[in-house]
């Protein structure tokens, strides 16, 4: 009997050990995100991490600490879903995270103050813009190493690739031109002047010869035929034909347009004009301004969902809503008082917006149809931006 | 005995024979030496190392990058055309590709009219046929108004395989070669047998060991240098 008990006890221990080993095995595999499309990525500037929220449950899945005083600026997932990358503005480094395991797999020194970034459509190249270094760092996603630094830009803010991946266009916020990069050679091959500084510059030197609010981004139209670049100081949008890399038309918009945002249906684009607190809605067929509507101060982003445009007014605490069928204002959503709204992303179903709010360290989820707001707190310190894989509204400020 | 005006006695004849024998021996040694066996051109060009060395300045100029041979996930994007009404699209793919397509896999859908807009979709059904399989794909959100045709990229996972970056592989005739970094920093070509070719990485069936370092970006220049040296 005693032997039987001992044998059973031993068997129990063996079974328990086996189960424990299996559990450890699963833990060791360390799979935290099996589907890269299932999460919202949140850049937390002051807690120096990238946090991950489940889209369905709105629960935090995990976070990746990057290091002290890193200050990540923008986050993006590679088109193959394998890596999440960010540029650390204070650390002058690029960070590469394995999506499945949420492990920081590589830290790569880049140039000064890396901010915005982009992937080539085939996931092959990661272009990291360095506004203070006036350069783009080219990171090879096969070897996870920096292979080149492309110099010659002036405060490069955003990079966009053509759909075929042959060329990349760089918006220079400290100049009035868009840089064209040959992606095969990773070389700056052309500077496209969006518009000339007018001759009256002499009459208004503070405006035209002071600090330049140049080009934030050259945004491809949904059909990929043209690129649109808004110039803040000059108050125009230049339409670029990528076949010739020349400006084929100028569209005058409101004062100090921050940048251009493309509607998802390919009909309209919007420039939030912080100089006169308006938005200009551009008809992409005729390349003319279809409507100029009142908006709020310090606009940092535009998202599109449920037939509406949602314009973020960062310091007023409001999101302004516009009906994209009638091109008329459709009210505004109060997100709170004494808060700072940052930027938002839209889910791929185009039902919800995920807006980062830095003052209270939360993400505000807006239902595009009902305009109801859900708050998810404690996402990290000073959430700065959000990102969803394959979203059409992935941007930063 | 007089040979061309030179008097030869027996002793001098013996000396001449000894000299001739010596000459023959040294020539035999010369002709049978490994240097001579390689051919006159090779002897003139000297005995060269079979590897190619690249100094740091050259490497920087070539933007030379090295990647480790390791086991990593390989993705193949199966490209096809899909048509349909609303959010449901139908496509046909060869059975070889269809083996790896499963329900719930991620699909990138591009309407031909909107080249820079990508619509996310999922595989909802795969029905094998005699030659081609029918794949039903559902768009996550309503697609582009008026568009019934899409270019589909079905993201298939082939598992974790020993692999190298696609750019490391150089095709020469019917051979596939990669340049492997030696412990002294030189690079030597290695024949490899390949398996699944993915979007960024290709499976290596034979010829490389995990942990070895291969040249990726810049392998073409290494290969050109290697060939120029006639190695």
């Amino acid at each position: 009997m005693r032997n039987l008990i001992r044998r059973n006890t031993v068997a129990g221990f063996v079974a328990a050990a086996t189960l424990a080993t299996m559990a450890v095995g699963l833990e060791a595999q360390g799979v935290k995100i099996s589907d890269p499309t299932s999460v919202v990525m949140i850049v937390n500037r002051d807690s120096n991490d990238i946090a991950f929220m489940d889209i369905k449950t709105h629960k935090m899945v995990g976070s990746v600490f990057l290091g002290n005083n890193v200050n990540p600026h923008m986050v993006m997932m590679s088109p193959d879903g394998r890596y999440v990358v960010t540029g650390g503005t204070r650390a002058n480094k690029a960070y590469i995270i394995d999506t499945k395991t949420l492990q920081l797999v590589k830290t790569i020194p880049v140039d000064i103050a890396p901010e915005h970034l982009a992937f080539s459509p085939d996931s092959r190249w990661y272009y990291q813009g360095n506004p203070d270094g006036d350069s783009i760092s080219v990171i090879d996603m096969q070897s996870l190493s920096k292979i080149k630094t492309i110099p010659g830009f002036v405060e490069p803010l955003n990079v966009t690739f053509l759909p075929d991946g042959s060329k990349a266009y760089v918006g220079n916020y400290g100049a009035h031109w868009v840089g064209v990069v040959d992606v095969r050679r990773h070389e700056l091959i052309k500077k496209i002047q969006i518009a000339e500084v007018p001759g009256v510059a002499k009459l208004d030197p503070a405006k035209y010869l002071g600090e330049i609010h140049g080009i934030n981004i050259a945004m491809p139209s949904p059909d990929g035929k043209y690129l649109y670049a808004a110039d803040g100081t000059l108050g125009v949008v230049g339409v670029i034909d990528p076949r010739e890399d020349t400006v084929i038309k100028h569209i005058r918009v409101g004062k100090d347009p921050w940048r251009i945002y493309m509607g998802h249906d390919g009909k309209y684009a919007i420039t939030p004009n912080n100089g006169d607190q308006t938005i200009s809605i551009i008809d992409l067929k005729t390349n003319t301004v279809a409507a100029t509507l009142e908006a709020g101060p310090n606009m940092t982003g535009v998202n599109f969902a449920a037939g509406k445009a949602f314009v973020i007014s960062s310091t007023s605490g409001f999101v302004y809503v516009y009906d994209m069928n009638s091109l008329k204002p459709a009210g505004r959503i109060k997100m709170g008082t004494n808060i700072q709204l940052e930027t938002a992303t839209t889910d791929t179903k185009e039902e919800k917006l995920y807006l980062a709010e830095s003052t209270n360290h939360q993400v505000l989820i807006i239902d595009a149809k009902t305009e109801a707001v859900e708050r998810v707190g404690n996402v990290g310190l000073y959430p700065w931006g959000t990102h969803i894989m394959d979203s059409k509204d992935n941007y930063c400020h | 005995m007089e040979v061309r005006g030179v008097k030869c006695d027996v002793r001098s004849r013996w000396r001449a024979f000894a000299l001739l024998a010596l000459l023959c021996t040294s020539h035999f040694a010369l002709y049978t030496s490994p240097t001579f066996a390689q051919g006159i051109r090779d002897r003139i060009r000297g005995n060269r190392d079979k590897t190619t060395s690249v100094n740091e300045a050259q490497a920087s100029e070539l933007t030379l990058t090295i990647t480790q041979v390791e086991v990593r996930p390989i993705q193949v994007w199966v490209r096809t055309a899909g048509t349909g009404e609303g959010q449901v699209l139908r496509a046909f793919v060869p059975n070889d590709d269809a083996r790896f397509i499963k329900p719930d896999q991620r699909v990138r859908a591009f309407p031909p009219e909107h080249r820079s807009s990508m619509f996310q979709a999922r595989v909802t059904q795969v029905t094998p046929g005699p030659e081609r399989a029918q794949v039903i794909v559902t768009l996550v959100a309503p697609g582009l108004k008026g568009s019934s045709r899409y270019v589909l990229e079905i993201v298939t996972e082939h598992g974790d395989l020993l692999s190298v970056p696609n750019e490391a592989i150089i095709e020469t005739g019917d051979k596939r070669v990669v340049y492997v970094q030696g412990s002294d920093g030189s690079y030597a070509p290695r024949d490899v047998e390949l398996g699944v070719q993915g979007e960024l990485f290709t499976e290596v069936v034979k010829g490389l060991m995990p942990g070895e370092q291969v040249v990726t970006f810049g392998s073409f220049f290494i290969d050109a240098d290697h060939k120029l040296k006639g190695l």
Side-chain angles (χ1 to χ4, degrees):
Chain A
M1 183 67 181
R2 193 180 288 171
N3 276 348
L4 190 64
I5 291 168
R6 194 177 291 161
R7 211 173 293 156
N8 280 349
T9 314
V10 170
F13 275 132
V14 170
T18 312
L19 283 171
T21 313
M22 281 169 69
V24 169
L26 284 171
E27 189 69 25
Q29 283 174 6
V31 176
K32 290 190 174 160
I33 297 173
S34 53
D35 177 6
T37 64
S38 68
V39 287
V40 183
M41 285 156 271
I42 304 158
V43 191
N44 290 312
R45 196 193 69 176
D46 289 358
S47 51
N48 300 302
D49 62 59
I50 305 297
F52 295 82
M53 181 204 287
D54 188 281
I55 288 182
K56 275 184 188 159
T57 62
H58 298 166
K59 297 258 188 293
M60 302 307 289
V61 179
S63 71
V64 181
F65 178 63
L66 304 166
N68 291 323
N69 303 316
V70 166
N71 285 178
H73 190 95
M74 182 185 186
V75 69
M76 195 172 264
M77 191 175 276
S78 58
D80 62 3
R82 204 173 158 208
Y83 296 111
V84 171
V85 303
T86 186
T89 307
R90 281 183 72 183
N92 301 330
K93 285 174 185 161
Y95 296 83
I96 301 176
I97 298 162
D98 186 293
T99 311
K100 260 188 192 168
T101 61
L102 295 189
Q103 298 274 321
L104 180 64
V105 290
K106 196 84 189 253
T107 304
I108 302 166
V110 288
D111 210 337
I112 304 166
E115 286 187 2
H116 304 128
L117 57 103
F119 276 99
S120 61
D122 60 358
S123 296
R124 180 77 173 82
W125 308 110
Y126 153 27
Y127 274 27
Q128 176 65 62
N130 310 300
D132 287 5
D134 295 331
S135 67
I136 300 286
S137 299
V138 181
I139 293 167
D140 170 22
M141 291 306 288
Q142 285 182 336
S143 60
L144 299 186
S145 55
K146 184 181 76 179
I147 63 149
K148 199 168 182 178
T149 303
I150 312 171
F153 299 96
V154 188
E155 206 181 340
L157 271 204
N158 276 291
V159 184
T160 42
F161 284 84
L162 283 185
D164 65 3
S166 61
K167 287 188 282 188
Y169 291 79
V170 181
N172 294 273
Y173 202 61
H176 302 295
W177 52 268
V178 170
V180 185
V181 175
D182 178 352
V183 176
R184 225 176 146 72
R185 293 184 292 149
H186 308 292
E187 273 177 25
L188 176 62
I189 54 169
K190 193 170 180 178
K191 297 175 179 179
I192 307 170
Q193 189 78 17
I194 290 303
E196 294 297 331
V197 175
V200 293
K202 284 176 191 166
L203 301 174
D204 192 356
K207 180 179 178 187
Y208 293 110
L209 303 176
E211 190 187 341
I212 294 172
H213 287 188
I215 296 147
N216 184 317
I217 190 169
M219 195 76 187
S221 57
D223 63 8
K225 284 182 183 166
Y226 303 105
L227 288 113
Y228 291 74
D231 187 300
T233 305
L234 303 178
V236 295
V237 170
V239 184
I240 300 168
D241 182 345
R243 288 173 300 181
E244 303 286 331
D245 284 332
T246 51
V247 176
I248 56 161
K249 190 166 182 184
H250 293 106
I251 307 164
R252 183 148 292 282
V253 291
K255 280 184 185 171
D256 196 6
W258 166 235
R259 55 162 280 184
I260 193 158
Y261 298 85
M262 287 290 159
H264 302 172
D265 59 2
K267 286 182 185 165
Y268 300 107
I270 289 179
T271 61
N273 312 310
N274 284 319
D276 57 11
Q277 299 187 11
T278 63
I279 61 161
S280 299
I281 302 179
I282 296 168
D283 184 331
L284 296 175
K285 220 173 193 176
T286 59
N287 283 336
T288 54
V289 174
T292 303
L293 304 171
E294 280 186 22
N298 301 313
M299 291 172 279
T300 50
V302 181
N303 291 56
F304 298 89
K308 303 172 197 171
F310 296 82
V311 179
I312 301 158
S313 168
S314 67
T315 51
S316 71
F318 283 102
V319 170
Y320 289 75
V321 187
Y322 301 88
D323 185 323
M324 292 308 289
N325 293 313
S326 63
L327 303 187
K328 285 185 176 161
R332 57 184 189 172
I333 311 167
K334 186 171 183 181
M335 310 306 293
T337 47
N338 296 326
I339 59 168
Q340 176 87 21
L341 304 176
E342 303 295 346
T343 58
T345 185
T346 312
D347 65 6
T348 51
K349 288 182 181 173
E350 298 183 16
E351 290 172 349
K352 284 180 179 155
L353 275 64
Y354 294 79
L355 169 59
E357 192 274 287
S358 53
T359 316
N360 298 306
H361 317 297
Q362 60 183 344
V363 167
L364 307 169
I365 304 167
I366 305 170
D367 186 307
K369 223 174 190 176
T370 64
E371 297 177 14
V373 180
E374 182 189 338
R375 290 158 205 275
V376 179
N378 299 322
V379 297
L381 296 180
Y382 214 91
W384 187 246
T386 55
H387 180 99
I388 292 174
M389 187 189 195
D390 300 338
S391 165
K392 293 189 183 75
D393 293 328
N394 279 324
Y395 62 87
C396 192
H397 59 347
Chain B
M1 188 179 177
E2 194 171 325
V3 181
R4 289 186 187 177
V6 178
K7 282 188 181 173
C8 290
D9 54 6
V10 175
R11 192 182 286 176
S12 59
R13 249 182 281 165
W14 184 86
R15 277 184 191 148
F17 176 76
L19 187 67
L20 188 67
L22 188 69
L23 277 171
C24 283
T25 313
S26 63
H27 270 76
F28 179 76
L30 178 70
Y31 279 86
T32 54
S33 72
T35 313
F36 196 85
Q38 284 167 8
I40 294 165
R41 285 289 298 156
D42 282 356
R43 185 165 55 85
I44 291 166
R45 296 172 77 200
N47 189 16
R48 287 169 185 242
D49 187 4
K50 287 286 178 194
T51 59
T52 299
S53 295
V54 177
N55 63 38
E56 209 168 294
Q58 285 171 318
S60 162
E61 204 166 290
L62 300 176
T63 56
L64 191 73
T65 55
I66 310 295
T67 307
Q68 188 160 291
V69 181
E70 62 182 32
V71 175
R72 45 169 88 82
I74 293 191
Q75 267 186 8
V76 176
W77 295 359
V78 177
R79 290 174 174 86
T80 184
T83 54
E85 296 295 317
Q87 287 176 236
V88 180
L89 306 171
R90 194 173 61 154
F92 292 93
V93 296
N95 280 336
D96 276 357
D97 291 334
R99 284 184 298 147
F100 299 99
I101 299 175
K102 294 178 181 70
D104 206 36
Q105 273 171 338
R106 191 162 65 90
V107 181
R108 293 151 51 91
F110 300 86
E113 305 89 347
H114 271 205
R115 293 190 303 154
S116 65
S117 280
M118 195 260 285
F119 290 77
Q120 207 183 73
R122 294 271 169 185
V123 173
T124 40
Q125 196 186 333
V126 184
T127 314
E131 286 177 7
R132 296 183 305 164
Q134 179 183 265
V135 180
I136 303 293
V137 164
T138 307
L139 297 171
V140 170
L144 184 69
K145 222 173 183 179
S147 185
S148 58
R149 296 173 302 150
Y150 287 81
V151 174
L152 304 178
E153 289 177 346
I154 305 167
V155 180
T156 66
E157 303 278 354
H158 286 243
D160 293 347
L161 302 166
L162 187 72
S163 58
V164 292
N166 294 347
E167 271 183 9
I169 300 156
I170 295 172
E171 298 194 6
T172 54
D174 55 352
K175 285 200 303 184
R176 309 284 180 272
V177 172
V178 296
Y179 278 84
V180 183
Q181 189 181 43
S183 54
D184 58 347
S186 61
Y187 306 96
R190 182 95 55 88
D191 288 357
V192 286
E193 258 181 51
L194 304 175
V196 178
Q197 188 181 346
E199 293 304 305
L200 293 181
F201 299 96
T202 297
E203 181 193 6
V204 178
V205 178
K206 204 173 162 189
L208 288 170
M209 296 290 287
E212 284 188 298
Q213 305 283 338
V214 295
V215 180
T216 54
F217 202 66
S219 61
F220 173 79
F221 300 104
I222 299 269
D223 189 50
D225 189 52
H226 203 78
K227 282 176 179 158
L228 273 173
K229 286 179 180 168
L231 299 173

